[in-house]
């Protein structure tokens, strides 16, 4: 073989290897570009999902804040009604205690009047019994004097 022929063959081999390497490089660059595009798309989707999740969380926090405020207002209302009911109950108990004391006083006065009336009745019955007995005795004495 001649030296120029072997150099030409070697050049052809190197050109063939260079072409293959260039093809592989182009293929890797295409894959890299595709992967970069996919990565960028995934990043945009992730950012959109993260923004949507943050917005949803903020909306949910607002809703929960409103529900909490509503629950606290309801609790305050119930506590106020309970306080009012307790005050009304205490006032009613004081009124009933005063009325009971008044009724006890009236009962005691009526009981005293009844005791006095019973004593007066007993006295009158005793006087009546004595008067009836005296009249009976007078009638018997008058019959004896008149008739006998």
């Amino acid at each position: 073989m001649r030296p120029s022929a072997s150099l030409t063959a070697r050049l052809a081999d190197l050109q063939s290897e260079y072409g293959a390497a260039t093809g592989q490089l182009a293929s890797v660059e295409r894959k890299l570009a595709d992967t970069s595009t996919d990565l960028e798309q995934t990043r945009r989707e992730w950012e959109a999902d993260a923004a949507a999740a943050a917005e949803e969380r903020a909306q949910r926090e607002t809703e929960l804040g409103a529900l909490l405020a509503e629950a606290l207002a309801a609790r305050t209302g119930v506590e106020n009604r309970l306080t009012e009911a307790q005050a009304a109950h205490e006032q009613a108990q004081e009124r009933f205690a005063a009325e009971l004391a008044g009724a006890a006083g009236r009962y005691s006065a009526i009981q005293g009047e009844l005791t006095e009336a019973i004593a007066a009745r007993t006295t009158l019955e005793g006087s009546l019994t004595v008067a009836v007995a005296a009249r009976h005795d007078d009638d018997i004495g008058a019959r004896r004097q008149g008739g006998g």
Side-chain angles (χ1 to χ4, degrees):
M1 257 190 127
R2 299 185 320 201
S4 71
S6 80
L7 285 176
T8 303
R10 178 76 179 132
L11 179 61
D13 287 343
L14 288 174
Q15 285 177 339
S16 175
E17 286 179 23
Y18 177 77
T22 302
Q24 286 178 344
L25 181 59
S27 175
V28 167
E29 286 177 349
R30 274 192 310 275
K31 287 180 182 176
L32 180 59
D34 290 345
T35 301
S36 292
T37 302
D38 290 346
L39 179 61
E40 182 62 27
Q41 179 64 31
T42 301
R43 185 187 61 75
R44 281 194 300 269
E45 289 173 0
W46 176 82
E47 287 175 350
D49 289 346
E55 183 178 330
E56 184 177 335
R57 187 192 79 229
Q59 182 178 355
R60 188 68 180 142
E61 285 177 354
T62 300
E63 291 171 359
L64 290 175
L67 288 173
L68 179 61
E70 186 178 317
L72 290 175
R75 177 183 175 186
T76 300
V78 168
E79 288 174 345
N80 289 341
R81 287 193 300 274
L82 178 61
T83 300
E84 291 170 2
Q86 286 174 332
H89 178 70
E90 290 173 5
Q91 289 174 351
Q93 282 184 321
E94 290 171 4
R95 240 184 1 264
F96 294 145
E99 289 176 9
L100 184 60
R106 289 189 301 276
Y107 175 78
S108 179
I110 291 170
Q111 189 70 27
E113 290 173 8
L114 181 60
T115 301
E116 289 175 8
I118 290 171
R121 179 180 175 192
T122 303
T123 302
L124 288 175
E125 285 176 346
S127 296
L128 182 61
T129 302
V130 168
V132 167
R135 180 167 179 158
H136 182 57
D137 289 345
D138 286 345
D139 285 344
I140 293 176
R143 277 189 209 153
R144 282 189 193 159
Q145 283 180 359

